[in-house]
Amino acid sequence: GAVVSQHPSWVICKSGTSVKIECRSLDFQATTMFWYRQFPKQSLMLMATSNEGSKATYEQGVEKDKFLINHASLTLSTLTVTSAHPEDSSFYICSASGWDQPQHFGDGTRLSIL
Amino acid sequence: DQQVKQNSPSLSVQEGRISILNCDYTNSMFDYFLWYKKYPAEGPTFLISISSIKDKNEDGRFTVFLNKSAKHLSLHIVPSQPGDSAVYFCAARRSGGYQKVTFGTGTKLQVIP
């Protein structure tokens, strides 16, 4: 069964809208979660590391103000794409793991900005 | 800088035969390696992993081999089944704690019935 749940699976919205994506760990407490982005036919690119109770750590080139990450509890992290534009359209995936364990991934969110 | 590389973007194998997917890495700090399977519009599914203290790990039809001196690992699937058709990602990280994972570019495997 799924150990990481991601919601919604698909979002279509107008340019300028902010979109929130939720990621929940179901079977364990995740102090750290990860957010990835995947473009068509490309690898998964790590965007940021989400730390429970503290600020996220962003990878180089990822805009902190554009991609807001909140990790309010040990089982929930959210990614908000603020003022989304067509170039933000992508497949966003979260992952979580227990201590020193393989990461388990959510099923991803396909974001389409019109 | 692609620290984890999968040089074959695609691979076709007959059902029942062996599938061999290759992966190379450049960062010598990596000491834990993983393989994930991914279908379109889904998140990756963890398959198998190996620590750098080992050179082989087996789980059912899946075996991962690690050659540390060559910074190379491979995933063997025997026998290959049509349901194995997917994109396979090699990944690497440092062991201990909550370490971020670096992914390869993926190899699309097609198993022909």
Side-chain angles (χ1 to χ4, degrees):
Chain A
V3 296
V4 176
S5 173
Q6 190 172 337
H7 178 81
S9 58
W10 194 12
V11 179
I12 302 175
C13 58
K14 294 181 179 180
S15 183
T17 306
S18 291
V19 178
K20 180 185 284 189
I21 303 169
E22 292 187 350
C23 181
R24 295 181 184 272
S25 61
L26 302 179
D27 296 339
F28 54 90
Q29 294 183 329
T31 303
T32 301
M33 292 185 178
F34 302 90
W35 287 96
Y36 294 82
R37 182 174 180 177
Q38 185 183 28
F39 292 101
K41 298 183 180 180
Q42 293 190 25
S43 184
L44 287 79
M45 300 302 297
L46 179 66
M47 298 174 64
T49 302
S50 173
N51 305 301
E52 187 267 337
S54 65
K55 292 182 179 180
T57 304
Y58 290 82
E59 295 299 301
Q60 191 173 11
V62 178
E63 297 178 60
K64 300 178 183 181
D65 296 331
K66 169 66 119 174
F67 300 100
L68 300 180
I69 291 173
N70 182 274
H71 195 149
S73 76
L74 287 170
T75 59
L76 174 64
S77 175
T78 61
L79 167 68
T80 301
V81 183
T82 61
S83 187
H85 289 92
E87 59 266 26
D88 299 322
S89 298
S90 191
F91 190 59
Y92 294 87
I93 313 174
C94 71
S95 73
S97 70
W99 180 263
D100 201 21
Q101 295 295 310
Q103 290 183 25
H104 294 279
F105 287 80
D107 279 339
T109 298
R110 180 158 302 283
L111 177 62
S112 297
I113 309 298
L114 305 177
Chain B
D1 177 29
Q2 190 69 35
Q3 298 184 56
V4 180
K5 302 177 184 179
Q6 293 174 257
N7 292 319
S8 298
S10 63
L11 175 67
S12 290
V13 173
Q14 286 290 133
E15 180 179 5
R17 306 294 285 268
I18 184 172
S19 295
I20 300 176
L21 296 96
N22 293 301
C23 177
D24 298 291
Y25 62 96
T26 58
N27 189 337
S28 58
M29 299 299 290
F30 291 144
D31 57 5
Y32 188 71
F33 306 90
L34 312 95
W35 283 94
Y36 286 85
K37 176 181 180 180
K38 186 180 182 301
Y39 295 111
E42 292 185 11
T45 302
F46 170 71
L47 278 177
I48 193 169
S49 63
I50 187 167
S51 166
S52 61
I53 62 174
K54 295 184 176 181
D55 54 19
K56 176 183 176 181
N57 189 25
E58 190 172 354
D59 184 1
R61 296 186 298 114
F62 302 92
T63 303
V64 56
F65 295 92
L66 176 63
N67 182 333
K68 290 187 290 295
S69 60
K71 293 191 174 67
H72 176 84
L73 63 155
S74 60
L75 174 68
H76 292 209
I77 306 173
V78 182
S80 301
Q81 300 174 353
D84 296 329
S85 298
V87 177
Y88 289 78
F89 287 97
C90 169
R93 66 171 172 87
R94 297 173 65 174
S95 60
Y98 302 101
Q99 299 287 346
K100 62 183 181 182
V101 170
T102 300
F103 282 85
T105 49
T107 296
K108 185 175 182 179
L109 173 65
Q110 182 182 20
V111 180
I112 303 166

